[in-house]
């Protein structure tokens, strides 16, 4: 989650001047806010997150201590592979996140039956990753979703329309789950060669090789 710091600058003999920072990491935002307050030149320091929630310095300090113990700084890679002969989909998910001072990677896949096409497999893969996030205890966090299906990602963003009834049902499921978890999603299309981990996991699921692992990233 990124934060913005806003404050009023005390200008002698004139009205206060309002300032705002760029979107920055929580720890940096807190350091900046504390420094502004210590200087005696700033007042009414307020911190905003990307969802629009606001805190004062005491509240943000407590929040960041609590957040540090939860999964955060989350990036998700997903991919769905479709076998038109069996109408099965292999779903692959790779999740990078921080917890405490350590960084972790989750790798998982699954096989879904009765799929209609590759786009449905991609939607199922995103739904699979969101369920993994729920199992990890992720809530009220910014999550970046990266995949090589631009169509699906643009439809999730609402930039492109989705006319297929079956895909709209998947879209509704995903949006409902994301809303329930309080996740602020950011969708980023990437080239296929940058999505090799998730693609491999999807292919392994179609081959009957199932993986569910968590490891620390050094």
């Amino acid at each position: 989650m990124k934060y913005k710091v806003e404050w009023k600058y005390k200008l002698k003999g004139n009205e206060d001047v309002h300032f705002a920072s760029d979107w920055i990491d929580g720890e940096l935002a807190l350091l900046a806010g504390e420094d502004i307050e210590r200087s005696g030149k700033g007042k009414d320091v307020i911190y905003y997150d990307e969802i629009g929630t606001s805190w004062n310095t005491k509240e943000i300090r407590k929040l960041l201590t609590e957040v540090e113990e939860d999964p955060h700084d989350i990036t998700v890679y997903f991919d769905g592979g479709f076998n038109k002969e069996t109408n099965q989909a292999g779903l692959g998910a790779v999740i990078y996140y921080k917890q405490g001072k350590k960084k972790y990677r989750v790798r998982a896949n699954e096989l879904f039956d009765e799929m209609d096409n590759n786009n449905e497999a991609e939607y199922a893969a995103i739904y699979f990753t969101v369920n993994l996030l729920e199992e990890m205890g992720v809530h009220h966090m910014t999550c970046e979703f990266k995949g090589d299906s631009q169509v699906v990602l643009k439809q999730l963003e609402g930039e492109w329309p989705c006319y297929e009834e079956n895909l709209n049902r998947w879209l509704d499921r995903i949006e409902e789950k994301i809303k329930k978890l309080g996740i602020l999603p950011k969708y980023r299309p990437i080239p296929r060669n940058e999505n090799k981990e998730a693609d491999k996991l999807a292919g392994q699921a179609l081959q009957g090789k199932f993986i569910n692992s968590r490891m620390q990233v050094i």
Side-chain angles (χ1 to χ4, degrees):
M1 182 76 74
K2 298 290 185 180
Y3 299 84
K4 179 183 287 187
V5 188
E6 296 189 4
W7 71 97
K8 292 179 181 178
Y9 184 79
K10 300 177 183 178
L11 196 59
K12 188 175 181 180
N14 291 277
E15 294 183 0
D16 295 335
V17 180
H18 181 267
F19 285 93
S21 72
D22 294 328
W23 291 104
I24 53 180
D25 290 334
E27 291 183 5
L28 183 58
L30 178 58
L31 287 172
E34 290 174 331
D35 192 61
I36 291 164
E37 290 179 335
R38 280 195 300 267
S39 73
K41 291 290 186 178
K43 66 177 183 179
D44 298 338
V45 178
I46 300 293
Y47 307 79
Y48 293 91
D49 68 14
E50 295 167 285
I51 301 174
T53 311
S54 62
W55 297 270
N56 60 31
T57 299
K58 182 179 179 181
E59 292 168 339
I60 197 73
R61 188 183 297 116
K62 180 181 178 183
L63 173 73
L64 292 176
T65 300
E66 294 171 350
V67 166
E68 188 68 22
E69 300 307 314
D70 292 330
H72 58 280
D73 289 356
I74 301 161
T75 301
V76 173
Y77 293 83
F78 71 93
D79 197 30
F82 177 66
N83 186 330
K84 63 182 179 180
E85 294 180 0
T86 62
N87 290 104
Q88 291 181 314
L91 316 180
V94 183
I95 303 172
Y96 289 92
Y97 67 97
K98 292 180 182 177
Q99 192 164 12
K101 299 297 182 182
K102 299 177 180 178
K103 187 173 182 179
Y104 295 92
R105 180 187 69 180
V106 167
R107 298 169 66 244
N109 63 3
E110 191 167 315
L111 186 68
F112 265 34
D113 294 318
E114 300 180 10
M115 294 281 105
D116 288 338
N117 52 51
N118 191 70
N119 279 346
E120 186 178 10
E122 296 282 2
Y123 268 109
I126 295 180
Y127 187 68
F128 175 55
T129 61
V130 174
N131 278 301
L132 289 175
L133 293 174
E134 183 177 31
E135 291 173 9
M136 290 165 53
V138 174
H139 61 92
H140 297 90
M141 286 285 166
T142 300
C143 296
E144 187 171 27
F145 293 83
K146 296 183 178 182
D148 52 60
S149 176
Q150 186 178 30
V151 171
V152 170
L153 289 169
K154 290 296 184 182
Q155 287 175 342
L156 281 164
E157 277 187 324
E159 289 191 21
W160 292 2
C162 180
Y163 298 112
E164 296 180 52
E165 184 178 344
N166 192 32
L167 298 185
N168 268 312
R169 286 197 293 269
W170 281 106
L171 189 59
D172 290 341
R173 289 189 202 116
I174 293 164
E175 289 180 340
E176 182 180 348
K177 181 73 72 173
I178 284 175
K179 183 178 180 180
K180 174 186 173 184
L181 299 177
I183 288 174
L184 179 63
K186 294 184 176 181
Y187 301 111
R188 182 183 165 194
I190 58 174
R192 178 164 289 277
N193 63 5
E194 294 181 18
N195 202 30
K196 291 180 179 178
E197 281 190 294
D199 177 68
K200 182 178 179 180
L201 286 165
Q204 288 173 320
L206 286 170
Q207 297 167 10
K209 300 176 183 178
F210 298 106
I211 295 167
N212 193 327
S213 69
R214 174 181 178 269
M215 65 174 290
Q216 184 179 342
V217 179
I218 305 299

